[in-house]
């Protein structure tokens, strides 16, 4: 077969140039196929496995990256949902705290008003007691003065001095009967 290839090469060397672009040259066709098949075999044997290996590695890398991206996306969605839940919880907790603070403030205000009302009632009651005590003291003093004046007037009328305890008791009892009527 080698000899026939050499013969074809010699025939092609004798014929230097093509006569027309559409002219068929069997030697050139055979050599073109031989080179193509040899190159194809060399590429298939040596280059194709490395290309296939790199391509498969690239596919695995891309698949892993897609899987990691999907996982990260799921995690991000979960975190976002958790964040929303926590925000809602925080908002509810803040509203609860505000309501509790408002209720405590209202309770404290009511207690303060009650204390103030109670203190003012106590102050008013004490003032009334003091007024009643002063009134009683004034009445006692007024009675004593009235007794003294009555005794002085009666002694001027009678002409003698009425100063004994019995006289005093008599006038005091009389004034007490007037008071009750």
């Amino acid at each position: 077969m080698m000899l026939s290839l050499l013969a074809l090469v010699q025939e092609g060397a004798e014929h230097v140039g093509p006569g027309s672009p559409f002219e068929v040259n069997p030697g050139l066709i055979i050599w073109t196929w031989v080179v193509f098949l040899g190159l194809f075999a060399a590429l298939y044997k040596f280059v194709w496995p490395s290309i296939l290996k790199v391509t498969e590695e690239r596919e695995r890398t891309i698949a892993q990256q897609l899987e990691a991206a999907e996982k990260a996306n799921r995690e991000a969605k979960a975190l976002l949902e958790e964040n929303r839940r926590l925000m809602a919880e925080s908002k509810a907790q803040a509203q609860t705290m505000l309501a509790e603070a408002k209720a405590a403030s209202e309770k404290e205000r009511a207690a303060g008003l009650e204390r103030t009302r109670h203190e003012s009632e106590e102050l008013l009651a004490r003032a009334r007691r003091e007024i009643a005590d002063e009134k009683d003291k004034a009445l006692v003093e007024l009675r004593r003065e009235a007794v003294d004046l009555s005794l002085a007037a009666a002694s001027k009328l009678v002409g003698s001095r009425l100063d004994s305890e019995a006289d005093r008791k008599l006038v005091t009892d009389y004034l007490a009967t007037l008071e009750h009527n």
Side-chain angles (χ1 to χ4, degrees):
M1 178 147 172
M2 237 4 192
L3 289 175
S4 61
L5 284 177
L6 284 174
L8 284 175
V9 171
Q10 283 180 349
E11 273 181 33
E14 291 174 3
H15 191 282
V16 175
S20 136
F22 299 108
E23 182 181 324
V24 178
N25 187 347
L28 185 60
I29 291 174
I30 292 174
W31 279 108
T32 302
W33 273 101
V34 168
V35 169
F36 174 75
L37 290 176
L39 183 61
F40 184 76
L43 287 175
Y44 186 78
K45 175 118 176 122
F46 299 108
V47 177
W48 185 255
S50 62
I51 290 174
L52 190 59
K53 181 181 173 186
V54 169
T55 305
E56 287 173 352
E57 286 177 14
R58 181 71 178 141
E59 283 178 6
R60 277 194 301 274
T61 304
I62 290 172
Q64 289 172 352
Q65 289 174 346
L66 284 174
E67 186 178 314
E70 287 177 11
K71 183 180 177 184
N73 191 18
R74 285 191 304 271
E75 288 175 358
K77 285 181 181 178
L79 287 174
L80 180 62
E81 192 60 37
E82 178 71 14
N83 189 20
R84 285 182 182 158
R85 186 185 62 78
L86 288 175
M87 289 290 281
E89 264 182 35
S90 296
K91 188 175 181 181
Q93 200 173 32
Q95 288 175 347
T96 302
M97 289 174 75
L98 283 173
E100 288 173 359
K102 187 176 179 181
S105 170
E106 190 63 33
K107 185 178 178 181
E108 187 64 33
R109 184 179 142 292
L113 285 174
E114 182 62 28
R115 268 193 314 272
T116 303
R117 186 186 61 78
H118 184 69
E119 288 173 1
S120 65
E121 285 176 359
E122 284 181 3
L123 187 62
L124 187 60
R126 187 174 357 126
R128 284 184 181 154
R129 282 192 307 269
E130 288 175 3
I131 290 171
D133 289 345
E134 289 296 319
K135 178 183 168 190
D136 290 343
K137 285 179 187 177
L139 284 175
V140 168
E141 183 66 26
L142 188 61
R143 278 189 193 141
R144 193 180 57 76
E145 294 266 336
V147 168
D148 288 343
L149 285 175
S150 296
L151 286 176
S155 68
K156 282 200 180 204
L157 283 177
V158 175
S160 69
R161 187 148 174 91
L162 298 172
D163 211 9
S164 71
E165 237 357 92
D167 296 335
R168 253 184 217 288
K169 181 162 177 16
L170 180 68
V171 174
T172 305
D173 289 342
Y174 177 72
L175 287 175
T177 60
L178 287 179
E179 225 176 67
H180 291 290
N181 289 333

